[in-house]
């Protein structure tokens, strides 16, 4: 089976029902997407499928075939960080950063659809992403920052 | 653990007193071939620096906590056993060194948490990195700088006074000569002990320390490149899974691993109570685990519904260390004008670090290397030594920057498990705990029962204070308020669930109970709770944070809107001071408590990195909101009932109030840690705000998992 990830084709053999997260992490060594819960409740595993944020732990690898998958590793373009990554760096958001990939992917998806989100919009759309270190206010600030560019 | 360290550990840091969960049967042959040779050397990691150590051999090994090395290219490397778990200590410590060596921060590499490379360190816990490691590194860096300047003085036969240092270059102001650090260190092998009397840069002349240097390695985190242990992979590596008991207190009666053993490429280990498998993929490991048939014997275990009675009944003698009796508290209480007697109930809660425990182990001959996300790499090394009966010098523990801990990763379970599997598999093995395992088998913040009896005069002077904590612990149990008669005691209990350190330790519970009672006394006295507190305090630093928080909040010139309430609370631990003012609103329909705004003033001496300090304060407040409002572990007959983020509610974006911080920068005071104390104020402030809004005084943590009936 083929998966199109970050504009690159990969041949993979998922076992039955294997999640996209598992394939990314264990077969393809794309470990930027994190495991936090395996039940769609934390957002650490968030990737984009055709531009929309999905929880890769709840997505069967099979169902992603033929679609355009973007992971945190694919955000950088020509050695340049994505504006959302830049904004997160600028605001110096994180503590342990384990939530970072999921937060950034969710933010990218949000800004694709809603380039000028209100604080309310941001809070609502990030609700499924957990940050245990409590960097939420800085995440909101970084997304606002990114929405300016 | 070294003897004198026992004193530094609070009784409720149970995980530090406990032996590792397993004791693997020894390989006798190895035992005799290694230990039998008669080698019993107190070998610390610092010995790996070889003969160079002799210069400092008069210093006790456990005081040699850090090394700074300046290479031939002027590259500066700092070696410290401290662990980065998200508190951004890597950045703060680098700033301190950069300051003294007068170089930009990016010239510094920090080697941390590696038992083979860094000196022994008892662990990254108890907010000790900044107050203890900070000054040592500062002095070490200053000593290094002076050494370099002296070398230049000699080389140029110059006058010391005419030399100046900037940007890693020593300059002779008189002659214009200049030489970079690398030019001085080239071809030398010099080692000196830290000069205790070395001149360090005074705080008011700080240029790098005291500024908001961004997280070092920040890019590797926002690009997903940083390898947490759970991300690591070694050639030929297998994935391990462990057979877990169905409940606390269950023991293994029999186990049949034959089917699993027959599976292709699967290694099964059964050693005492340890049963685990390793296989080439997590899926295969999962299948093998499923194929194991085990029979367990359970024992009667208390459930959440009866835990508080249980703790009270099973409590032992008051712990002397956290016991303070002064005056005649019974008499003082009897004669008080205003009296409050109240019991508080504190649930077990989980740290739930977003990265669950992970360990990767590799054996090469008799040498073991373990990568694991722990706050105590050297502690894990000792545990491994104990369970495998091999000399410590054969064990290397490496701790890559970890997906947080909050006091919950003082141990090394996953690393030990991986090492056990790897030994039989003869291949590297990685064990990553599932969220359910993390919620079940990691340790919890202790549950507790707190009984308080307090009395005051009608003019608002607290005269008697009796305070008993059952099980939570002794941290923060002492009252900062002046009281003539008091009796304060911690009563330890053998907890049915595994419990241990949590951010702020038992102070989260003790401060909650104390500040609630202080609030209620003020209500009885019809006094403003801030005025009442100030009246009973002498400690100026505490008054300062209270006043700063109140001012930023508008405590004295605002009234809560209909259905809203204001609350205030303060606390101190580990030399830092916190006060929080909170505004809450109760939703008419859902009865849910919504925290609207939280203003926290914090003081921890001289500030090293304002942005990262602000981040720690905000993070503590937000994390503390969970324990304040809704987090609790539910369990029945030894089984955890809510071991998932879908069933254990943690703070999310919608729960986050406007979080404001006021940071008091006391440049005249030494810097202390900031990762714990800021969590103390939020729960009691919210509780007192709910009382203010509704008249309902709550006595439990969490306060209102199902909202507040008004
Ligand atoms: S790991 Fe996918 S949502 Fe938590
Ligand atoms: S920064 Fe640690 S979980 Fe978000």
């Amino acid at each position: 089976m083929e998966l199109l990830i970050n504009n690159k084709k990969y041949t993979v053999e998922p076992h039955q029902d294997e999640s996209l997260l598992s394939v990314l992490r264990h077969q393809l060594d794309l470990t930027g997407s994190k495991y936090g819960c395996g039940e769609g409740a934390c957002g650490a595993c968030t990737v984009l499928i055709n531009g929309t944020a999905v929880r890769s732990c709840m997505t069967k690898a099979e169902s992603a075939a033929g679609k355009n998958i973007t992971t945190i590793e694919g955000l950088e373009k020509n050695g340049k960080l994505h504006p959302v990554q830049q904004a997160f760096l600028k605001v110096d958001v994180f503590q342990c950063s384990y939530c970072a990939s999921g937060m950034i992917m969710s933010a990218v998806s949000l800004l694709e659809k809603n380039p000028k989100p209100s604080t309310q919009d941001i809070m609502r759309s990030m609700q499924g992403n957990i940050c245990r270190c409590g960097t939420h206010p800085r995440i909101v600030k970084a997304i606002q920052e990114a929405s300016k560019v | 653990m070294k003897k004198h360290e026992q004193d530094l550990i609070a009784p409720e840091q149970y995980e530090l007193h406990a032996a590792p969960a397993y004791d693997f049967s020894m390989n006798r042959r190895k035992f005799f071939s290694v230990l039998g040779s008669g080698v019993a050397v107190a070998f610390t990691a610092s010995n790996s620096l070889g003969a160079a150590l002799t210069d400092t051999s008069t210093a006790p090994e456990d005081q040699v906590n850090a090394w700074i090395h300046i290479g031939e290219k002027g590259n500066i490397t700092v070696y410290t056993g401290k662990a980065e778990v998200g508190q951004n200590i890597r950045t703060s410590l680098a700033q301190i060194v950069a300051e003294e060596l007068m170089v930009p921060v990016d010239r510094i590499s920090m080697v941390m948490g590696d038992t083979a490379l860094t000196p022994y360190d008892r662990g990254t816990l108890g907010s000790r990195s900044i107050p203890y490691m900070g000054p040592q590194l500062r002095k070490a860096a200053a000593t290094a700088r002076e050494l370099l300047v002296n070398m230049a003085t000699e080389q140029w036969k110059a006058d010391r006074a005419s030399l100046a240092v900037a940007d890693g270059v020593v300059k002779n102001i008189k002659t214009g000569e200049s030489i970079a650090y690398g030019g001085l260190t080239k071809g030398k092998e010099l080692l000196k002990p830290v000069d205790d009397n070395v001149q360090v840069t005074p705080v008011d002349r700080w240029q790098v320390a005291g500024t908001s240097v961004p997280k070092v390695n920040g890019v590797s985190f926002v690009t997903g490149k940083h390898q947490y242990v759970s991300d690591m992979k070694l050639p030929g590596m297998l994935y391990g899974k462990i057979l877990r008991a169905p409940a606390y207190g269950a023991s293994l009666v029999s186990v049949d691993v034959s089917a699993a053993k027959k599976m292709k490429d699967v290694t099964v280990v059964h050693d005492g109570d340890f049963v685990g498998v390793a296989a080439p993929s997590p899926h295969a490991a999962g299948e093998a685990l499923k194929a194991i048939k085990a029979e367990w014997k359970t024992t009667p275990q208390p459930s959440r519904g009866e835990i508080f009675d249980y703790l009270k009944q099973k409590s032992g003698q008051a712990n002397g260390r956290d016991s303070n009796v002064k005056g005649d508290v019974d008499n003082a209480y009897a004669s008080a004008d205003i009296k409050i007697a109240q019991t508080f109930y504190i649930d077990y809660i989980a740290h739930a670090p977003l990265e669950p425990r992970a360990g990767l182990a590799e054996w090469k001959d008799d040498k073991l290397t373990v990568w694991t996300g722990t706050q105590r790499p050297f502690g894990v090394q000792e545990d491994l030594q104990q369970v495998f009966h091999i000399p410590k010098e054969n064990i290397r523990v490496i701790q890559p920057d970890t997906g947080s801990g909050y006091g919950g990763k003082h141990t090394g379970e996953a690393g030990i498990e991986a090492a056990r599997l790897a030994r039989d598999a003869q291949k590297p093995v990685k064990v990553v705990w599932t969220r359910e395992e993390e919620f079940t088998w990691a340790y919890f913040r202790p549950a507790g029962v707190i009984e308080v009896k307090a009395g005051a005069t009608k003019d608002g002077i607290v005269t008697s204070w009796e305070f008993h904590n059952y099980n939570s612990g002794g941290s923060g149990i002492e009252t900062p308020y002046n009281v003539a008669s008091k009796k304060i005691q911690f009563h330890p209990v053998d907890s049915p669930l595994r419990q241990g350190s949590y951010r702020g330790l038992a102070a989260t519970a003790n401060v909650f109970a104390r500040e609630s009672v202080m609030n209620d006394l003020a209500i009885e006295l019809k006094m403003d709770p801030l005025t009442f507190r100030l009246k009973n305090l002498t400690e100026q630093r505490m008054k300062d944070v209270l006043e700063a928080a109140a001012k930023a909040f508008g405590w004295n010139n605002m009234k809560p809107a209909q259905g809203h309430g204001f609350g205030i609370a303060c606390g101190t631990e580990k030399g830092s001071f916190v006060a929080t003012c909170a505004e809450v609103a109760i939703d008419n329909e859902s009865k849910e408590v919504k925290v609207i705004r939280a203003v926290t003033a914090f003081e921890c001496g001289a500030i090293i990195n304002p942005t990262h300090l602000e981040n720690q304060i905000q993070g503590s407040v937000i994390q503390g909101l969970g324990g304040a409002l809704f987090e609790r572990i539910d369990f029945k007959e030894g089984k955890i009932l809510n071991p998932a983020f879908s069933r254990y509610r943690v703070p999310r974006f919608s729960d986050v109030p406007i979080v404001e911080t006021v940071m008091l920068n006391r440049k005249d005071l030494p810097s202390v840690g900031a990762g714990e104390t800021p969590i103390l104020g939020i729960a009691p402030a919210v509780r007192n705000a709910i009382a203010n809004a509704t008249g309902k005084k709550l006595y439990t943590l969490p306060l209102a998992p199902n909202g507040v009936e008004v």
Side-chain angles (χ1 to χ4, degrees):
Chain A
M1 188 189 106
E2 255 183 13
L3 288 178
L4 180 62
I5 304 165
N6 304 329
N7 293 321
K8 226 173 116 183
K9 278 189 185 148
Y10 294 88
T11 308
V12 294
E13 283 175 54
H15 61 78
Q16 209 200 349
D17 289 348
E18 184 166 2
S19 69
L20 176 58
L21 177 66
S22 174
V23 169
L24 290 172
R25 292 180 55 80
H26 304 124
Q27 295 196 30
L28 304 176
D29 296 339
L30 291 167
T31 53
S33 312
K34 305 298 182 203
Y35 164 83
C37 68
E39 56 161 352
C42 79
C45 64
T46 306
V47 302
L48 306 183
I49 294 188
N50 294 343
T52 299
V54 299
R55 309 293 181 229
S56 64
C57 71
M58 299 296 283
T59 308
K60 281 187 198 161
E62 240 176 47
S63 74
K67 297 184 183 152
N68 212 331
I69 305 165
T70 311
T71 69
I72 187 83
E73 289 90 347
L75 279 191
E76 242 174 297
K77 288 269 141 51
N78 309 321
K80 234 186 133 221
L81 295 183
H82 188 281
V84 172
Q85 289 172 309
Q86 285 174 20
F88 273 72
L89 266 188
K90 185 169 167 210
V91 176
D92 200 3
V93 168
F94 294 114
Q95 292 181 30
C96 80
S97 300
Y98 195 78
C99 66
S101 309
M103 292 291 178
I104 290 170
M105 297 315 283
S106 299
V108 169
S109 168
L110 164 68
L111 292 172
E112 284 291 297
K113 295 181 173 53
N114 181 356
K116 300 276 170 227
S118 66
T119 306
Q120 277 309 314
D121 294 339
I122 295 174
M123 303 263 252
R124 206 171 312 123
S125 90
M126 301 298 288
Q127 181 71 355
N129 289 73
I130 289 174
C131 173
R132 287 295 292 139
C133 297
T135 66
H136 307 73
R138 318 181 84 80
I139 292 170
V140 174
K141 199 167 147 198
I143 297 175
Q144 283 164 343
E145 186 76 33
S147 76
K148 287 189 206 136
V149 293
Chain B
M1 194 183 303
K2 297 194 168 65
K3 260 263 169 312
H4 70 274
E5 291 176 352
Q6 301 280 3
D7 305 337
L8 292 169
I9 294 171
E12 68 265 35
Q13 293 184 291
Y14 298 97
E15 78 285 3
L16 302 183
H17 302 287
Y22 307 116
D23 183 11
F24 299 134
S25 54
M26 222 185 296
N27 179 326
R28 287 176 63 83
R29 197 168 49 87
K30 270 188 194 156
F31 175 78
F32 285 115
S33 70
V34 181
L35 279 188
S37 61
V39 184
V41 193
F43 195 88
T44 67
S46 35
N47 287 86
S48 64
L49 294 173
L53 190 69
T54 50
D55 270 2
T56 55
S57 53
T58 50
E61 66 181 48
D62 51 359
Q63 281 175 24
V64 182
N65 282 338
W67 290 102
I68 298 173
H69 175 255
I70 302 165
E72 297 202 325
K73 297 201 170 89
N75 47 313
I76 300 165
T77 315
V78 178
Y79 297 88
T80 155
K82 290 293 169 201
E84 173 64 64
V85 287
Q87 76 286 44
N88 285 325
I89 194 73
R90 186 180 286 281
T91 308
S92 318
L93 293 178
Q95 281 179 264
I96 288 174
V97 171
E99 182 68 59
E100 296 301 334
L101 275 166
M102 301 179 175
V103 294
V105 175
D106 58 16
R107 289 270 294 280
I108 314 255
S109 350
M110 302 286 302
V111 176
M112 300 174 70
D114 181 333
T115 61
L117 298 179
T118 67
Y120 176 83
D121 186 89
R122 56 185 295 274
T124 304
L125 41 98
S127 293
R128 291 206 175 85
S129 302
I130 286 296
Y132 295 90
M133 181 55 61
Q136 295 197 21
L137 276 182
R138 185 184 302 289
K139 278 189 181 169
T143 306
R145 179 197 64 223
E146 288 309 307
L147 186 63
L148 291 162
V149 173
N150 288 342
M151 289 163 77
T153 315
E154 269 170 39
Q155 191 166 324
W156 292 330
K157 307 267 177 278
D159 174 13
R160 169 70 181 81
S162 56
L163 299 195
V165 186
D167 211 11
V169 176
V170 188
K171 268 205 180 86
N172 187 332
I173 307 161
K174 279 201 189 135
T175 64
E177 280 172 299
S178 76
I179 187 162
Y181 288 168
L184 289 163
T185 53
K186 206 171 163 85
K188 300 276 185 339
E189 279 184 14
L190 250 182
L191 184 103
K192 292 276 177 210
V194 168
D195 174 3
D196 227 23
N197 302 315
V198 70
Q199 271 290 321
V200 297
T201 312
V203 180
D204 51 11
R205 298 227 317 265
W206 279 359
Q207 289 177 20
V208 185
T211 66
S212 290
V213 170
K215 185 178 183 69
V216 298
N217 306 340
V219 174
S220 70
F221 291 101
V222 299
T223 52
K225 291 202 178 88
H226 173 71
Q227 294 258 301
Y228 297 87
V229 174
S230 43
D231 302 327
M232 293 178 67
K233 199 180 212 177
L234 292 176
M237 184 186 87
L238 305 179
Y239 296 82
K241 287 199 185 294
I242 316 300
L243 183 74
R244 302 289 176 199
Y248 271 85
S251 54
L252 195 56
V253 179
S254 68
V255 61
D256 176 4
V257 297
S258 54
K261 272 199 165 142
K262 282 192 206 112
M263 297 169 102
K264 191 169 172 281
D265 298 328
V266 168
T267 302
V268 182
V269 178
H270 177 199
D271 185 347
D273 267 358
F274 177 90
V275 181
V277 298
S281 73
H283 177 72
E287 294 297 306
L289 195 69
K290 270 191 233 155
I292 292 175
K293 288 187 198 66
E295 201 192 312
W296 298 87
K297 186 170 149 307
T298 53
T299 51
Q301 293 286 318
S303 301
R304 183 182 167 270
E306 66 229 22
I307 186 65
F308 301 117
D309 290 339
Y310 179 96
L311 293 178
K312 195 63 207 301
Q313 278 159 19
K314 301 269 173 170
S315 69
Q317 280 297 308
N319 177 309
R321 162 193 162 128
D322 295 295
S323 186
N324 184 357
V325 182
K326 182 178 144 199
D328 181 347
V329 81
D330 294 331
N331 238 331
Y333 184 71
S335 55
D337 300 329
I338 304 287
K339 296 173 201 187
I340 285 183
Q342 199 47 248
T343 306
F344 294 83
Y345 304 97
I346 316 293
D347 266 292
Y348 289 104
I349 64 173
H351 309 78
L354 202 57
E355 183 192 23
R357 282 163 162 68
L360 165 61
E362 180 181 40
W363 292 85
K364 281 199 173 138
D365 302 322
D366 286 348
K367 296 213 166 22
L368 169 63
T369 306
V370 169
W371 291 260
T372 190
T374 178
Q375 295 173 251
R376 282 172 69 241
F378 286 88
V380 174
Q381 185 193 33
E382 284 163 16
D383 286 352
L384 288 164
Q385 174 191 25
Q386 200 178 324
V387 296
F388 288 107
H389 311 281
I390 56 171
K392 218 198 270 183
E393 61 268 32
N394 284 4
I395 306 167
R396 178 177 183 185
V397 176
I398 303 171
Q399 181 262 338
D401 293 11
T402 295
S404 78
Y406 324 112
K409 285 186 182 162
H410 290 167
T411 44
E413 301 84 351
I416 295 171
E417 291 159 355
R420 184 62 191 87
L421 291 169
R423 197 174 71 179
D424 278 25
Q426 300 192 350
K427 281 185 181 158
V429 173
K430 181 166 79 172
V431 171
V432 180
W433 280 23
T434 62
R435 178 55 55 194
E436 180 173 348
E437 287 176 299
E438 181 68 37
F439 261 121
T440 308
W441 301 110
Y443 50 87
F444 301 108
R445 183 189 74 179
V449 176
I450 302 175
E451 293 169 342
V452 192
K453 270 164 98 179
T457 65
K458 53 181 179 315
D459 336 316
I461 302 290
V462 183
T463 48
S464 82
W465 188 259
E466 184 168 359
F467 193 102
H468 298 271
N469 179 313
Y470 301 89
N471 191 52
S472 315
S475 294
I477 199 169
E478 189 49 65
T479 174
Y481 301 101
N482 309 318
V483 226
S485 302
K486 59 183 171 184
K487 183 174 186 182
I488 297 172
Q489 289 180 321
F490 163 51
H491 309 258
V493 187
D494 208 358
S495 163
L497 299 187
R498 188 180 179 211
Q499 61 180 17
S501 303
Y502 182 92
R503 203 172 199 173
L505 301 179
T508 52
N510 288 325
V511 172
F512 168 70
R514 179 177 69 238
E515 291 299 301
S516 300
V517 171
M518 289 302 285
N519 181 73
D520 297 356
L521 282 171
I523 293 177
E524 293 291 317
L525 286 157
K526 304 200 172 27
M527 271 178 87
D528 169 65
L530 171 63
T531 316
F532 174 62
R533 283 181 172 78
L534 293 173
K535 192 171 175 142
N536 286 282
L537 280 170
T538 317
E539 174 59 74
Q540 192 56 44
R541 294 172 74 186
M542 188 76 108
K543 291 185 181 180
D544 289 346
V545 288
L546 270 170
E547 278 164 346
K551 180 160 172 243
F553 184 81
W555 184 265
N556 290 323
N557 41 33
M558 273 193 341
K559 287 276 159 286
Q562 179 66 28
H564 289 224
F566 294 166
I568 190 168
C570 61
T572 171
E573 264 298 279
K574 316 228 164 70
S576 61
F577 294 81
V578 66
T580 298
C581 293
E583 175 179 357
V584 304
I586 317 294
D587 188 278
N588 264 336
E589 305 263 293
S590 66
K591 306 292 172 209
E592 176 134 335
V593 179
K594 170 90 187 129
V595 180
I596 307 288
R597 193 171 160 234
V599 178
T600 297
F602 183 62
E603 190 256 286
C604 59
I607 297 172
I608 294 172
N609 186 315
T611 295
H612 291 169
L613 176 60
E614 182 192 51
N615 203 341
Q616 282 301 315
I617 300 170
Q618 289 175 332
S620 293
V621 168
I622 292 166
Q623 185 159 67
L625 267 181
L629 289 174
F630 37 69
E631 281 182 47
R632 69 173 175 210
I633 286 292
D634 198 5
F635 56 102
K636 200 174 168 202
E637 286 151 19
K639 207 174 155 45
I640 307 300
L641 299 178
N642 55 346
F645 278 131
S646 55
R647 279 173 283 163
Y648 180 96
R649 182 171 168 198
V650 296
R652 290 176 182 267
F653 279 90
S654 63
D655 300 308
V656 175
I658 299 167
V659 184
E660 291 167 45
T661 56
V662 186
M663 299 182 284
L664 303 183
N665 193 1
R666 286 291 301 267
K667 292 189 175 186
D668 56 320
L669 293 172
S671 314
V672 297
E676 300 191 87
T677 308
I679 201 174
L680 302 181
I682 184 70
V686 166
R687 182 265 182 198
N688 296 339
I690 295 171
N692 183 240
T694 66
K696 273 227 148 151
K697 295 176 189 146
L698 302 172
Y699 303 103
T700 58
L701 277 186
L703 290 160
N706 306 310
V708 182
E709 279 306 323
V710 194

